[in-house]
Amino acid sequence: MRQHKFSREIPDKPSDIKRYLSITLFFLLIYAAGRFTRFSLSELFDGMSEGGGLIKEMFFPPDWAYMRRLLEPMQETIQISIVGTFFGSIVAIPLAIVSARNFLRNPILTGIFRNFLGIFRTIPALVFAALFASIFGFGSFPGILALIVFTAGLVAKLGFEAIESIDPGPVEALESSGASKLSILRFAIIPQILPQYLSFILYSFEINIRASAVLGYVGAGGIANYYNRTLSYLQYARAGSIVLMTFVVVMLLDLVSSKIRERLL
Amino acid sequence: MLDIRNISKVYPNGVRALSDVSLNIQKGEFVSIIGLSGAGKSTLLRSINKMIEITEGDILFQGKSIKEAKGKELRMIRRDIGMIFQSFNLVKRSRVITNVLCGRIAYHSPFVTFFGLFPKEDKMIAFEALDRVNILEKAYNRADELSGGQMQRVAIARSLAQEPILLLADEPVASLDPLTTIQVMDDLKRINRELGLTMLVNLHHVDLAIKYSTRIIGLQGGRLVFDGHSKDVNDEVLKEIYGRELTSSEVLGEVDDAPA
Ligand SMILES: Nc1ncnc2c1ncn2[C@@H]1O[C@H](COP(=O)(O)OP(=O)(O)OP(=O)(O)O)[C@@H](O)[C@H]1O
Ligand SMILES: [Mg+2]
């Protein structure tokens, strides 16, 4: 038997009404969204059974022989993502530096670049690719350009956030010793963010390899170009081998890259 | 050498951290600044190398006005003034020697040092500085492998590599244990004696200030309430600086959280 004598009253349990209302609202929203987009379960099941037939044609078995011919476009896809990641990460450096609030301490300049980056980053890589393909013509060049722009935006954003979260102590110490801005950057900031920067590069490479696997769809080079072609000729087994190969390559590169990233941090 | 003339500092939020402080410091002195937390010790120290801009008065360092100095001129003044901090402020991921060489940066064009290339002469200066604080053997260790006391020594070596004529130390031992505290204070005293380097040190502990310095400055609420020889610090003086008498334990080195 408990003998504790309470010094004050046990507080009342707060009403649960708010919680129930939120849950109801949540389901109502989902229902409304389904109605709005004319989502229908029966269509989904129909589609799935059709899709089942398609999957059988694509993968059971895929066109193994065709894979040899895919080596070249696959290589192009990988090249596009490497080159795009590389140059994009370089372009990101000055962007990150001017966007970091704690370095130049020029709120106007920093504000302009941060907003510019913010707007830019709402545009998906595929949209850039379509745009550049229409300007520069089909091929891997517009794809590379699209990834450069996309990577620059991504790495710059991660980069200025990393710069803003460094230990300010060394910056203060170097400033007090008469070092110039450039030297402070070189000796107090870069050593602190270098491992993070390298991991951002790998991270964006992981995203870019996925993006570049579909770039060919808008004519920006790489494997998706072939996918488009086989589908329009109804060569499902060939399409299947493209999907399979892309899947394996993306998985492998992803795995390697994330393993390296783990080691960096 | 250092002439502080009627300086005041009002922070943008309206806090008046210094009121009409004047000081004249001669070459070779070992000066401690004591006072309660919030008395304005850090503000005073940071005004000297313009890490904080004063709102009134002027500071002359070797006859040059710090208030007027900007850009390159300010950097040249700062080069002659070393500074060490409570939190050491080393680049933890860099090697000890790289940290110490940072003290040489202001002597060269940033485009040369950008590639990490320092003249051989500079490396010798850096090694010598490390030797002076007895930590030469750690030159190629990463800074984050060192203990607190060792890190503070590296920080001292970095400021010595500047070949300064004045060393500012903002609570250099506040995050060290008692034994390391003594070692670091001994280092500062020895450097003061051997190199004739002028020291201006903020200290929380009255007994350390009395033991190591030749002259003591007492701040209270942003005003200078004492400026004299450490021999002349008596109970009355301490009462003025701290607003009350200290208990014996505080004089033995625990004035950290004396209430205002
Ligand atoms: N950047 C700042 N902005 C506004 N007020 C500040 C700033 N820095 C310090 N102050 C205020 O100025 C006064 C003096 O601060 P200062 O840091 O110089 O004191 P201190 O003697 O060094 O104290 P401590 O022993 O805690 O380091 C305090 O009231 C503090 O709150
Ligand atoms: Mg302070």
Side-chain angles (χ1 to χ4, degrees):
Chain A
M1 220 221 279
R2 303 202 156 267
Q3 309 234 319
H4 180 75
K5 195 168 172 304
F6 286 95
S7 60
R8 62 202 77 196
E9 280 185 33
I10 298 172
D12 290 333
K13 185 168 185 265
S15 147
D16 281 334
I17 286 196
K18 236 172 122 184
R19 213 166 56 188
Y20 294 137
L21 270 180
S22 323
I23 294 170
T24 317
L25 191 66
F26 177 72
F27 282 106
L28 274 176
L29 274 176
I30 289 185
Y31 178 73
R35 284 293 293 258
F36 186 70
T37 56
R38 301 219 175 78
F39 177 81
S40 119
L41 274 180
S42 60
E43 248 178 71
L44 179 68
F45 284 122
D46 284 352
M48 267 161 75
S49 60
E50 242 173 70
L54 196 59
I55 283 173
K56 194 166 165 252
E57 276 190 60
M58 282 171 85
F59 298 111
F60 298 100
D63 188 342
W64 296 110
Y66 186 61
M67 284 206 180
R68 294 202 62 135
R69 295 207 355 230
L70 292 177
L71 289 178
E72 209 179 304
M74 194 70 233
Q75 194 190 328
E76 194 187 358
T77 289
I78 297 173
Q79 276 166 351
I80 290 172
S81 32
I82 290 177
V83 176
T85 307
F86 180 76
F87 287 105
S89 308
I90 290 175
V91 176
I93 297 172
L95 291 176
I97 292 168
V98 290
S99 305
R101 290 205 178 96
N102 56 344
F103 182 62
L104 288 182
R105 300 198 193 121
N106 179 339
I108 298 172
L109 193 69
T110 297
I112 291 173
F113 273 90
R114 285 170 92 101
N115 283 316
F116 167 77
L117 277 180
I119 294 167
F120 233 62
R121 278 183 18 84
T122 58
I123 305 170
L126 207 60
V127 172
F128 284 121
L131 180 72
F132 292 141
S134 68
I135 298 174
F136 300 105
F138 290 180
S140 54
F141 182 68
I144 290 172
L145 216 52
L147 289 191
I148 290 177
V149 173
F150 172 78
T151 309
L154 176 64
V155 176
K157 166 135 168 71
L158 295 170
F160 78 65
E161 284 172 353
I163 295 176
E164 284 174 359
S165 62
I166 60 164
D167 170 11
V171 174
E172 185 185 28
L174 290 206
E175 196 181 344
S176 77
S177 80
S180 60
K181 282 272 179 203
L182 186 61
S183 300
I184 291 173
L185 184 69
R186 163 66 178 81
F187 288 96
I189 297 179
I190 291 179
Q192 289 196 63
I193 63 157
L194 193 62
Q196 285 174 75
Y197 174 66
L198 295 178
S199 100
F200 298 154
I201 294 177
L202 290 171
Y203 173 66
S204 64
F205 174 67
E206 288 160 34
I207 296 177
N208 285 345
I209 187 84
R210 284 188 181 78
S212 70
V214 294
L215 282 179
Y217 234 84
V218 293
I223 191 120
N225 209 357
Y226 282 65
Y227 187 72
N228 219 355
R229 207 181 301 163
T230 53
L231 277 189
S232 58
Y233 289 121
L234 307 178
Q235 299 164 324
Y236 293 121
R238 289 189 166 189
S241 54
I242 294 174
V243 171
L244 202 65
M245 187 155 172
T246 308
F247 179 74
V248 171
V249 168
V250 169
M251 284 277 289
L252 274 177
L253 290 175
D254 205 66
L255 193 75
V256 173
S257 169
S258 52
K259 279 278 172 252
I260 302 176
R261 266 200 300 144
E262 263 170 43
R263 296 220 155 183
L264 275 174
L265 296 179
Chain B
M1 179 186 88
L2 182 68
D3 192 8
I4 297 175
R5 294 183 175 170
N6 309 92
I7 63 163
S8 297
K9 169 68 186 179
V10 182
Y11 281 106
N13 62 0
V15 174
R16 194 171 185 86
L18 291 176
S19 299
D20 197 24
V21 173
S22 294
L23 262 182
N24 198 310
I25 288 167
Q26 305 300 319
K27 185 170 182 345
E29 283 192 276
F30 195 121
V31 184
S32 291
I33 304 169
I34 58 173
L36 282 173
S37 186
K41 305 184 294 293
S42 298
T43 306
L44 175 57
L45 216 61
R46 282 155 187 277
S47 301
I48 294 169
N49 55 4
K50 212 177 180 179
M51 295 301 281
I52 286 177
E53 280 198 55
I54 50 175
T55 32
E56 276 165 60
D58 199 0
I59 299 175
L60 300 184
F61 176 66
Q62 298 201 302
K64 277 178 277 183
S65 162
I66 281 171
K67 191 165 191 179
E68 301 303 322
K70 292 197 284 287
K72 172 118 183 158
E73 196 192 350
L74 175 61
R75 279 188 272 121
M76 289 305 101
I77 292 176
R78 283 178 174 165
R79 191 176 80 180
D80 289 336
I81 305 176
M83 189 168 208
I84 59 176
F85 309 82
Q86 174 178 348
S87 50
F88 325 131
N89 292 356
L90 301 180
V91 183
K92 300 207 180 60
R93 300 186 51 89
S94 298
R95 282 176 169 174
V96 164
I97 184 69
T98 313
N99 271 287
V100 179
L101 280 169
C102 282
R104 301 300 302 166
I105 287 171
Y107 283 89
H108 307 286
S109 148
F111 300 103
V112 177
T113 51
F114 196 86
F115 300 98
L117 303 170
F118 287 89
K120 191 147 196 225
E121 163 96 12
D122 280 25
K123 287 186 193 145
M124 294 321 291
I125 292 172
F127 285 131
E128 193 188 314
L130 281 171
D131 197 25
R132 213 168 265 288
V133 286
N134 300 312
I135 198 157
L136 183 57
E137 72 279 4
K138 300 281 186 193
Y140 291 103
N141 284 57
R142 256 171 63 145
D144 54 10
E145 295 166 358
L146 306 183
S147 70
Q150 291 172 326
M151 284 195 203
Q152 193 59 295
R153 290 210 196 116
V154 174
I156 294 172
R158 174 176 62 190
S159 61
L160 289 183
Q162 278 171 246
E163 303 186 307
I165 24 195
L166 170 65
L167 189 70
L168 307 174
D170 194 358
E171 306 205 15
V173 293
S175 38
L176 303 177
D177 61 64
L179 198 69
T180 336
T181 292
I182 298 297
Q183 291 170 350
V184 167
M185 288 306 295
D186 282 346
D187 279 341
L188 290 179
K189 187 76 199 171
R190 191 164 37 78
I191 289 160
N192 168 251
R193 233 183 306 114
E194 288 176 5
L195 300 176
L197 180 54
T198 315
M199 298 274 173
L200 194 50
V201 187
N202 281 351
L203 286 173
H204 243 100
H205 302 295
V206 182
D207 54 341
L208 281 181
I210 293 174
K211 181 174 170 200
Y212 286 96
S213 43
T214 47
R215 178 176 166 193
I216 288 182
I217 309 287
L219 288 182
Q220 202 267 317
R223 296 188 174 276
L224 194 144
V225 293
F226 180 79
D227 178 359
H229 201 278
S230 47
K231 283 198 300 256
D232 300 329
V233 177
N234 53 32
D235 285 355
E236 211 174 309
V237 168
L238 290 179
K239 198 173 168 187
E240 174 138 44
I241 297 173
Y242 291 97
R244 60 182 177 83
E245 280 179 62
L246 297 178
T247 62
S248 58
S249 75
E250 283 170 330
V251 182
L252 285 175
E254 282 162 27
V255 284
D256 296 48
D257 28 37

